Amino acid sequence: MKKLLLISLTFFAFSANANIIYDKTGVDDKDFVYDEHQCTEMSQQVQKNTSSRGVVSSAAKGAAVGAAGTAIAGGSGSDGAKIGAGVGVASGLLGGSRDRRANEANYQAEKETVIRNCMANRGYTILN
């Protein structure tokens, strides 16, 4: 049973931290797996940023800019507002998707930093 638990923890630890390379010279594998598991658990305390651009606010801004631009050019403000709203929706969708990807990348990087610092504080040599 203990061996199965150790294998499970090892798989979890290495799959979660595949980007961190350690110098394991003179390191007991059981201690390493235990320490890395604890550091991984601590990294779960990192807060995920969920803010992103809103489609509605981007559409409203796009409509205002479109209406103003068309009115200045001498056209109908409502046509410019429709076009601007469409452009605003598209940019809101693209910007929100980009924000979510950036937030996820920052979240993963911060978790990895916590694991690196934790393992370094426990005396492990990190090579990358």
Side-chain angles (χ1 to χ4, degrees), residues 1-6:
M1 183 66 179
K2 287 183 182 181
K3 194 171 193 173
L4 179 61
L5 178 63
L6 182 62

Side-chain angles (χ1 to χ4, degrees), residues 6-35:
L6 182 62
I7 291 170
S8 301
L9 290 175
T10 303
F11 175 75
F12 174 72
F14 287 117
S15 65
N17 306 315
N19 296 332
I20 302 174
I21 300 170
Y22 301 98
D23 180 7
K24 292 191 191 178
T25 305
V27 173
D28 181 26
D29 283 339
K30 287 189 287 185
D31 290 340
F32 176 81
V33 170
Y34 178 77
D35 288 339

Side-chain angles (χ1 to χ4, degrees), residues 57-77:
S57 65
S58 293
K61 289 176 190 172
V65 169
T70 305
I72 290 170
S76 168

Side-chain angles (χ1 to χ4, degrees), residues 1 5 7 11 15 26 28 62 64 67 73 79 91 108 115 117 122 125:
M1 183 66 179
L5 178 63
I7 291 170
F11 175 75
S15 65
D28 181 26
D79 289 340
S91 69
Q108 292 301 328
I115 294 169
N117 292 339
R122 292 176 184 225
T125 303

Side-chain angles (χ1 to χ4, degrees), residues 47-107:
Q47 298 294 314
K48 197 174 222 180
N49 184 2
T50 57
S51 64
S52 65
R53 299 175 201 180
V55 174
V56 174
S57 65
S58 293
K61 289 176 190 172
V65 169
T70 305
I72 290 170
S76 168
S78 64
D79 289 340
K82 290 176 189 173
I83 294 169
V87 170
V89 167
S91 69
L93 288 172
L94 293 174
S97 177
R98 183 175 40 250
D99 289 348
R100 283 189 294 279
R101 283 193 307 273
N103 288 343
E104 182 62 29
N106 289 339
Y107 173 69

